[in-house]
Amino acid sequence: MKRLFYTLAVLLIFTTCIKSQWVNQNVIPDPPPLYSVYALNNNVAYACGDSGKVLFTTNGGTNWTYITSFLFGVRQAFSVHALNQTTALVVCNSGPTGLIFKTTNSGSQWFPVHQRNGGIIYDVEFYNPQSGYAYGNPSLSRWYIIRTTDGGNSWDTTMPRPIADSPNDMGFPNALTTIFFGQPYIWFGTSVMKIFYSFNGGAIWNFGFTPSSQPSFGITFLDQSTGFAGGLIGFKSTNSGQNWVQWAPIQVVGPVYSVANAGGKIWYASGPHIYCSTNGGNSFFVQHTSPDNSIYLHLSMTFVASDNLMSIITGWGVTNDGVISHYNETVGIQQIGSSVPESFKLEQNYPNPFNPITHFRFRIADLEFISLKIYDILGKEIAVLVNGKMKPGIYEADWDASNYPSGVYFYTLKAGSFSETRKMVFVK
């Protein structure tokens, strides 16, 4: 009896922990409209908005501090991007002048690193701590694209620029994204029916047409091929942005100003609602609504690995009424045995069939990069439970299939050259 009690106690202690929620953080006196937020990790974030206001948190948003500089004046702070906890860049605009400012001491001091006379700068994005891009509205019939390779201290204004349809074309705050896939991939949205892209760091530019002549307010890519963008509707690309189709099924109660992804999930903001998908964008559900029905203008989400076992998906959303909402989801894969297995093994999930939660037990024989992923009947990856190095041991993970349809699913464990797949059945 004691042994049974001990076993149950161990399982309760080490069971996988999964919890997620949005929490409104209305802790700012007289909050301004907020246009941009950047989630560095689950504790540190920057936000910016109207009248040159920039904010900073180091405790997950429990407290936000104004770190605005007199240099900003009443310029509109359109975009912010953090390179680490103490280093960040913010884009400010006043009339026809766009500026980029940088801090290296968490906002105690700011200094200008780039000024554009006669044009707006909309967004700044980095794909590593040294290299990134900024973009602005067209001048002399070409879009304004600049790059940095020294953390934003200096900017190259001579890189090739795509041709604009009209000098009146516009871009938008937070409508630039860049990811490194062997070379820097860049995308930016416009007020016309085009999303521009480059697969070689901006040496050559092309564009994909958005459906129904839509503007493109925000763009995110899950990988090298699959991306989502927001306009008056939403649209999706499966070929790196060369073609876009209407993104369905989604709900809209206003423009889709922002789209984000982290940890295999996708979010978009429309009106006062934040929607989430846990199945690659096949379906969405309302996950949060702003407390005063204000409009979410930007979302920033990030995936943080902790000790290679616990993962945290975290992020923030900001609204035109100064509301800041924080998301935090912790998923833990816990060790349930201290002995070192002789070989890698993936056991059958239990219960099976299941509704809606099932458990996976697996054995790790050596220190390896481990992935445990779930696939639908067509072989499409729909969930990632483990993706990182793990020490030898016996582990258990859970999966909640509440947001998926009934049917047959597969799960695969990979560790170095080892790979094993098993089948399971979800019955609602």
Side-chain angles (χ1 to χ4, degrees):
M1 187 69 181
K2 289 183 178 179
R3 184 173 182 178
L4 175 60
F5 176 81
Y6 175 78
T7 301
L8 289 172
V10 170
L11 288 174
L12 286 171
I13 292 171
F14 289 107
T15 188
T16 300
C17 171
I18 304 177
K19 59 181 181 177
S20 61
Q21 61 177 337
W22 285 94
V23 176
N24 298 312
Q25 300 177 326
N26 298 321
V27 295
I28 308 167
D30 300 319
L34 294 172
Y35 305 136
S36 181
V37 63
Y38 189 87
L40 184 68
N41 54 47
N42 53 307
N43 291 313
V44 179
Y46 288 77
C48 67
D50 200 41
S51 300
K53 295 295 191 297
V54 181
L55 300 105
F56 178 55
T57 182
T58 58
N59 57 8
T62 301
N63 302 103
W64 286 87
T65 303
Y66 279 116
I67 53 172
T68 297
S69 169
F70 73 93
L71 296 171
F72 303 159
V74 294
R75 295 182 175 95
Q76 304 303 298
F78 274 174
S79 172
V80 64
H81 188 104
L83 304 181
N84 54 51
Q85 179 168 327
T86 59
T87 306
L89 294 97
V90 63
V91 169
C92 289
N93 294 275
S94 178
T97 302
L99 298 103
I100 303 176
F101 295 93
K102 181 177 179 178
T103 182
T104 57
N105 56 9
S106 303
S108 296
Q109 296 173 308
W110 293 86
F111 53 93
V113 292
H114 181 72
Q115 178 170 324
R116 182 194 182 194
N117 296 319
I120 291 173
I121 301 174
Y122 294 113
D123 197 4
V124 58
E125 293 289 328
F126 284 72
Y127 60 87
N128 65 40
Q130 295 298 314
S131 303
Y133 299 88
Y135 96 114
N137 63 313
S139 62
L140 300 176
S141 76
R142 291 185 179 272
W143 286 93
Y144 190 73
I145 301 289
I146 56 176
R147 63 186 164 201
T148 180
T149 56
D150 60 4
N153 293 323
S154 61
W155 293 83
D156 175 12
T157 60
T158 65
M159 64 180 290
R161 299 175 180 177
I163 297 173
D165 293 351
S166 163
N168 296 320
D169 291 352
M170 296 186 302
F172 300 101
N174 312 303
L176 170 71
T177 189
T178 178
I179 308 174
F180 190 81
F181 294 114
Q183 293 192 72
Y185 280 51
I186 314 165
W187 298 267
F188 69 83
T190 72
S191 59
V192 292
M193 64 184 76
K194 295 176 180 178
I195 294 177
F196 286 89
Y197 63 86
S198 173
F199 300 155
N200 52 15
I204 300 174
W205 289 93
N206 285 291
F207 60 84
F209 285 108
T210 61
S212 305
S213 303
Q214 290 289 305
S216 36
F217 301 125
I219 305 166
T220 191
F221 270 78
L222 309 186
D223 51 38
Q224 189 170 347
S225 301
T226 306
F228 298 85
L232 303 181
I233 59 174
F235 25 96
K236 176 181 179 180
S237 175
T238 56
N239 59 3
S240 305
Q242 298 175 66
N243 301 100
W244 295 87
V245 297
Q246 186 166 342
W247 173 17
I250 68 169
Q251 307 170 58
V252 291
V253 292
V256 179
Y257 283 121
S258 186
V259 188
N261 81 89
K265 297 185 177 183
I266 307 166
W267 291 263
Y268 73 90
S270 178
H273 304 309
I274 297 173
Y275 299 82
C276 179
S277 172
T278 59
N279 57 9
N282 293 323
S283 62
F284 285 82
F285 57 94
V286 176
Q287 195 175 53
H288 186 68
T289 300
S290 64
D292 59 355
N293 279 328
S294 56
I295 307 302
Y296 282 102
L297 299 181
H298 191 222
L299 306 173
S300 177
M301 313 297 294
T302 190
F303 180 84
V304 182
S306 176
D307 73 15
N308 296 320
L309 297 178
M310 299 295 292
S311 299
I312 299 172
I313 302 174
T314 193
W316 279 267
V318 293
T319 79
N320 65 340
D321 202 24
V323 171
I324 301 177
S325 302
H326 182 221
Y327 179 82
N328 200 67
E329 174 181 350
T330 303
V331 180
I333 310 300
Q334 295 293 343
Q335 189 168 352
I336 62 171
S338 58
S339 61
V340 177
E342 295 182 359
S343 61
F344 292 95
K345 182 176 177 60
L346 177 63
E347 298 182 10
Q348 186 65 50
N349 66 301
Y350 69 95
N352 186 41
F354 66 96
N355 178 25
I357 296 174
T358 190
H359 313 278
F360 308 93
R361 187 166 294 184
F362 54 98
R363 300 171 184 266
I364 304 300
D366 296 300
L367 180 65
E368 285 281 3
F369 188 94
I370 307 298
S371 72
L372 178 59
K373 299 181 179 181
I374 298 174
Y375 301 85
D376 64 17
I377 191 66
L378 300 177
K380 183 178 180 179
E381 178 186 308
I382 61 170
V384 179
L385 303 184
V386 181
N387 194 42
K389 281 191 174 182
M390 297 181 68
K391 298 177 182 178
I394 304 171
Y395 297 89
E396 187 169 286
D398 295 349
W399 182 50
D400 184 345
S402 299
N403 296 313
Y404 297 85
S406 298
V408 174
Y409 294 87
F410 299 89
Y411 58 103
T412 297
L413 177 71
K414 291 184 178 180
S417 60
F418 173 85
S419 179
E420 186 171 0
T421 299
R422 289 183 177 271
K423 183 173 72 173
M424 58 184 172
V425 179
F426 173 40
V427 180
K428 287 189 175 181

